[in-house]
Amino acid sequence: MIELNLAICKDGKTVFKSYKIKGKLELKHWNPDLGQVRKGCMYADELNILIKDTEVEYTQVGLSWETVKRDFTSGELINYQKAAASKESLFEYIEHLIDLFKKRGTGNFNMYRNLLGEMHSFTKNRNVKMSDINNKFLFEYIKWCLAGGNDSKTVLNKFYRLKSVVKKAKNDGISVSDITLTYTPTKKPIIKRGLSESNVQKLLAYKPRKKKWEFVMDMFKFMYYSAGISFRDMAFLTQDNISDNHLSYIRFKTHKPINIPLPEISMMIIDKYKFSKDRGKYLFPIIPLKRQHLDYIELYTCINSRIFGYNTLLDKIGKELDLPIKLTSYVARHSYATQLLRSGIPLPMISKALGHSTIQMTQNYLNLNDFDLTVTFDCLTPKLKEEKLDGIGMAFMNHLKSNPDWEKYWSMVTKEGEVLPNKATLVYSGNRGWQYILPLVDKKELKGVVIFPVKEKPGSSLLSGEITEPLVFFQDEMEKDISVQGLLRSPMRIEWEYDVNITSAMSLETVTKSPLSCSGYDGYYDASYVLVCSNTIDCSGNKALNEIDMDYLQYVADKIGCQFSCKVKVKNDVIIVEGQREREVCFFYNSLREELEKGLWYISYNYLWNDCEKQAYGENSFDS
């Protein structure tokens, strides 16, 4: 008796299968290098054909399983014929798929469970083998579905679902018939569930009249702002899914990982229900407390009933707002996808954000009816996302937009990196007058600054002045520019550092102490200065830009000067102080700084009288 052993090795584990054939094979006839029988043996041809066919058979099955990304062991592969034979029954194979998807924890098991029920009804519980599923069987199934009142789209989905069962069986090594039948349903216009931009804004601004409706709208907003998360996935979120304002979870339907940043409004909704007594271990009070001990599969029916009730209330809200389509939970997902496309996001990125398995599925979501092609071409130039602006950023951008060339200016500076309007700071210095200084960043690292000079109109508010062509300074220019250094010396640096990493090399040493020489003399003491205006909050709680005019600065300087018997003249580039003693002049400068800080204006000086010999400005210095 000749005994050959087939060895299959996978993931470090080896299993064997024995083949016994009548005959005699001596050891000298076996070629271990080629794994074949040498020609000298009378059974060589027969045995070598068996060896080759067996290798090809198992190799093809293994490759087909890997192609469909099936997880399997060497033992499952070597016993695939037994497993296939046990699932040759249509009913048993569909039950196998249901168990498989239940173990994966995806909702697909429910589709196959529905298919199993339909097959029992269609075949009248007749035992059907997988090999019986042929063109004729499928044709009769289509007729039966149509006779049962199913629309053509539903029939198409059922047709492809049954075909997918046949394909999976074939990949599992089960004998099946070749399917060539196709089904083309009557074409009807596809109703897109994505709302137009105006309808989205109308819906998000809706103020619910009832407590239940408020919860429904909160959940709709969370789905919309959180990358179109599905209701089922949202129901199973816990605090563990939230980390550093990011949401991470595995989508049940496609088993794809999702990791997205959460906008402020999503975090506010989470905080709103943080202390709800009905939420239990989950993020939102969707699953009843008494059922939270059940696993996902057992909760599936419960979730379906919650979705039904949720969609019923959404439909009422949609009718109240006179929306053109029926409002359901999936409208949030479709509208989110459509809004991303409006914003110029590439289709593959939208597909990834939604957790889709194919881009074709994403295309079915998109509603392009209200698209304006001019908006598409506008994406070729850098745009600012207005929804990210706070009061400071909005005030600055409104001022900038008063210049007809603002888009050219904005495009010019955003080519160098990311510009942060919310950090816009008004700075005054004699060499350039009033200017806005904004951080220029790369991955939150400060790489430079953008300076927008302001051309003032005599007798008018600074904010009515015209913003002129911007300047971009990088590290070398920043270290030499007194306006930039004045800003980095001021408390506004701390305001910037909330969102920007500023290296120590970007700023010079702060001048904080008076430059007393201890020699003291009568005369004039001048200092160049930089004035930085902190952004303020008005009585309504809104952030706004702060400004100060030179007349007011002169008034404050005169008031402080009187306390120290000093005469003061504020010019565009310097402050000139006439005092009896140097010590009193230094007290004046420090007191002026403290007084201005009460109005959130920060002044820094470069004292000049120690850098050169005594300067005699003469009596007319205060009149010039």
Side-chain angles (χ1 to χ4, degrees):
M1 184 69 71
I2 301 171
E3 183 175 346
L4 297 175
N5 286 303
L6 170 69
I8 295 180
C9 181
K10 186 176 186 293
D11 300 329
K13 294 183 180 180
T14 305
V15 293
F16 298 92
K17 183 176 182 179
S18 178
Y19 292 84
K20 294 183 179 180
I21 306 165
K22 288 183 179 180
K24 186 177 181 182
L25 178 66
E26 296 182 15
L27 186 60
K28 65 179 182 178
H29 291 140
W30 180 251
N31 186 336
D33 296 330
L34 298 178
Q36 293 180 349
V37 180
R38 301 183 193 275
K39 291 294 184 181
C41 175
M42 61 183 298
Y43 305 108
D45 291 339
E46 179 184 353
L47 293 175
N48 285 334
I49 289 173
L50 173 63
I51 292 169
K52 183 178 179 181
D53 288 348
T54 304
E55 287 179 347
V56 169
E57 175 188 356
Y58 282 89
T59 300
Q60 287 180 341
V61 173
L63 287 175
S64 67
W65 286 1
E66 288 181 346
T67 301
V68 296
K69 298 180 180 180
R70 172 178 171 175
D71 292 328
F72 63 93
T73 64
S74 53
E76 288 174 331
L77 177 57
I78 209 163
N79 294 312
Y80 88 92
Q81 291 174 324
K82 291 181 180 179
S86 67
K87 299 186 185 75
E88 284 187 354
S89 164
L90 171 63
F91 301 148
E92 290 179 1
Y93 187 71
I94 295 178
E95 287 172 352
H96 157 70
L97 292 178
I98 293 170
D99 290 338
L100 181 65
F101 284 109
K102 277 185 176 181
K103 289 176 183 176
R104 291 181 183 176
T106 70
N108 288 341
F109 80 90
N110 199 51
M111 295 190 300
Y112 290 105
R113 188 166 63 184
N114 293 337
L115 178 63
L116 180 61
E118 286 229 326
M119 287 297 102
H120 278 292
S121 300
F122 171 62
T123 61
K124 297 179 180 178
N125 293 320
R126 175 171 53 89
N127 187 27
V128 178
K129 292 184 178 180
M130 288 303 306
S131 57
D132 294 334
I133 313 299
N134 52 26
N135 290 334
K136 182 180 179 183
F137 184 95
L138 284 169
F139 182 74
E140 294 297 328
Y141 178 54
I142 291 171
K143 286 170 56 179
W144 180 81
C145 290
L146 290 171
N150 292 281
D151 60 39
S152 55
K153 184 179 178 181
T154 302
V155 174
L156 181 65
N157 290 335
K158 291 180 177 182
F159 171 75
Y160 278 117
R161 195 165 301 142
L162 185 54
K163 280 186 70 173
S164 74
V165 171
V166 176
K167 183 177 179 180
K168 291 178 187 298
K170 184 178 181 179
N171 291 334
D172 284 343
I174 298 173
S175 176
V176 296
S177 301
D178 289 333
I179 306 295
T180 57
L181 181 68
T182 59
Y183 172 63
T184 306
T186 305
K187 286 190 176 181
K188 293 182 179 180
I190 299 175
I191 299 175
K192 300 291 186 178
R193 287 191 277 182
L195 292 170
S196 66
E197 191 165 11
S198 59
N199 280 324
V200 168
Q201 295 305 319
K202 180 166 63 172
L203 179 59
L204 295 177
Y206 174 74
K207 302 296 183 184
R209 295 179 287 103
K210 301 177 182 178
K211 192 71 176 176
K212 282 187 177 180
W213 290 25
E214 181 182 345
F215 173 73
V216 166
M217 281 306 303
D218 284 341
M219 296 301 97
F220 185 92
K221 288 178 181 178
F222 185 85
M223 287 188 284
Y224 176 78
Y225 286 112
S226 306
I229 184 173
S230 72
F231 188 90
R232 284 191 182 88
D233 290 327
M234 180 176 66
F236 287 96
L237 293 180
T238 67
Q239 195 61 46
D240 292 338
N241 296 112
I242 311 297
S243 177
D244 295 330
N245 289 2
H246 275 66
L247 171 62
S248 300
Y249 67 98
I250 302 296
R251 190 170 180 233
F252 281 116
K253 189 172 182 180
T254 60
H255 226 59
K256 286 185 176 290
I258 305 291
N259 189 322
I260 56 166
L262 288 177
E264 184 178 357
I265 189 167
S266 293
M267 295 303 299
M268 289 172 62
I269 293 171
I270 292 173
D271 290 339
K272 182 176 179 179
Y273 293 95
K274 183 177 289 186
F275 301 105
S276 171
K277 62 180 181 180
D278 298 322
R279 76 180 185 92
K281 65 180 181 180
Y282 296 111
L283 211 56
F284 299 116
I286 297 174
I287 301 172
L289 287 171
K290 60 183 180 181
R291 297 195 180 185
Q292 289 190 6
H293 66 283
L294 303 175
D295 62 22
Y296 170 73
I297 304 302
E298 294 171 313
L299 284 172
Y300 198 88
T301 304
C302 171
I303 296 294
N304 280 345
S305 66
R306 300 290 286 181
I307 292 175
F308 178 79
Y310 174 82
N311 284 337
T312 301
L313 293 180
L314 271 184
D315 185 34
K316 292 179 179 179
I317 293 172
K319 289 177 179 177
E320 185 175 317
L321 294 174
D322 196 26
L323 297 180
I325 59 175
K326 183 177 180 179
L327 191 58
T328 66
S329 61
Y330 250 63
V331 171
R333 188 169 171 81
H334 287 241
S335 299
Y336 165 79
T338 304
Q339 187 60 32
L340 285 187
L341 192 66
R342 287 192 190 100
S343 302
I345 306 300
L347 195 58
M349 293 300 294
I350 299 174
S351 184
K352 182 178 180 180
L354 293 171
H356 281 164
S357 54
T358 66
I359 290 181
Q360 177 61 45
M361 188 181 296
T362 308
Q363 288 174 322
N364 294 334
Y365 272 50
L366 303 174
N367 182 4
L368 307 180
N369 293 334
D370 66 332
F371 265 58
D372 182 355
L373 283 179
T374 58
V375 176
T376 304
F377 289 104
D378 281 347
C379 293
L380 296 175
T381 58
K383 292 289 178 183
L384 185 75
K385 294 192 175 180
E386 301 283 347
E387 67 271 13
K388 291 187 177 180
L389 296 179
D390 62 11
I392 296 167
M394 191 66 73
F396 165 73
M397 288 306 299
N398 288 339
H399 194 182
L400 176 62
K401 289 178 180 180
S402 64
N403 189 313
D405 295 325
W406 80 272
E407 285 189 326
K408 181 180 76 173
Y409 293 164
W410 192 251
S411 176
M412 184 190 308
V413 297
T414 50
K415 288 178 181 177
E416 303 293 343
E418 185 182 2
V419 183
L420 306 181
N422 293 342
K423 300 299 177 185
T425 306
L426 272 171
V427 177
Y428 180 88
S429 65
N431 65 333
R432 220 169 14 244
W434 282 109
Q435 62 216 292
Y436 288 104
I437 301 183
L438 290 77
L440 180 69
V441 302
D442 179 23
K443 297 179 181 177
K444 293 196 173 184
E445 295 287 335
L446 184 68
K447 62 181 290 190
V449 294
V450 176
I451 299 174
F452 286 92
V454 181
K455 186 178 180 181
E456 293 183 76
K457 296 179 181 179
S460 300
S461 166
L462 173 65
L463 297 182
S464 64
E466 181 183 357
I467 291 182
T468 58
E469 187 168 341
L471 307 169
V472 178
F473 285 178
F474 296 100
Q475 183 167 339
D476 290 343
E477 295 99 331
M478 289 172 63
E479 292 174 357
K480 299 172 185 176
D481 189 82
I482 62 170
S483 300
V484 176
Q485 289 305 314
L487 187 153
L488 294 179
R489 291 172 182 177
S490 76
M492 286 305 296
R493 175 190 177 116
I494 299 173
E495 185 74 23
W496 278 25
E497 286 181 327
Y498 284 126
D499 300 294
V500 182
N501 181 25
I502 304 175
T503 60
S504 57
M506 288 287 190
S507 58
L508 304 177
E509 287 298 319
T510 304
V511 179
T512 56
K513 295 184 179 180
S514 60
L516 284 172
S517 62
C518 298
S519 58
Y521 56 85
D522 296 337
Y524 299 93
Y525 303 84
D526 59 330
S528 63
Y529 66 95
V530 176
L531 191 59
V532 179
C533 297
S534 173
N535 300 307
T536 61
I537 298 178
D538 63 19
C539 58
S540 302
N542 299 313
K543 287 187 176 181
L545 294 172
N546 195 5
E547 59 174 312
I548 182 175
D549 57 42
M550 293 300 101
D551 290 340
Y552 184 75
L553 180 58
Q554 180 68 61
Y555 165 76
V556 175
D558 287 339
K559 185 175 72 170
I560 301 296
C562 289
Q563 299 174 20
F564 297 98
S565 301
C566 296
K567 287 182 68 176
V568 184
K569 179 65 178 180
V570 177
K571 293 192 172 185
N572 286 342
D573 53 351
V574 294
I575 298 175
I576 305 170
V577 181
E578 181 186 6
Q580 298 297 317
R581 288 183 296 275
E582 188 177 20
R583 183 179 299 275
E584 290 176 348
V585 172
C586 292
F587 284 146
F588 160 79
Y589 277 116
N590 287 334
S591 298
L592 178 61
R593 179 190 292 117
E594 292 171 359
E595 184 66 22
L596 290 173
E597 285 181 359
K598 294 177 182 178
L600 298 179
W601 300 300
Y602 306 110
I603 194 167
S604 60
Y605 310 110
N606 283 320
Y607 301 102
L608 302 177
W609 66 89
N610 274 352
D611 297 334
C612 58
E613 294 183 5
K614 180 180 176 182
Q615 301 183 37
Y617 285 90
E619 292 297 329
N620 295 328
S621 296
F622 290 90
D623 301 324
S624 60

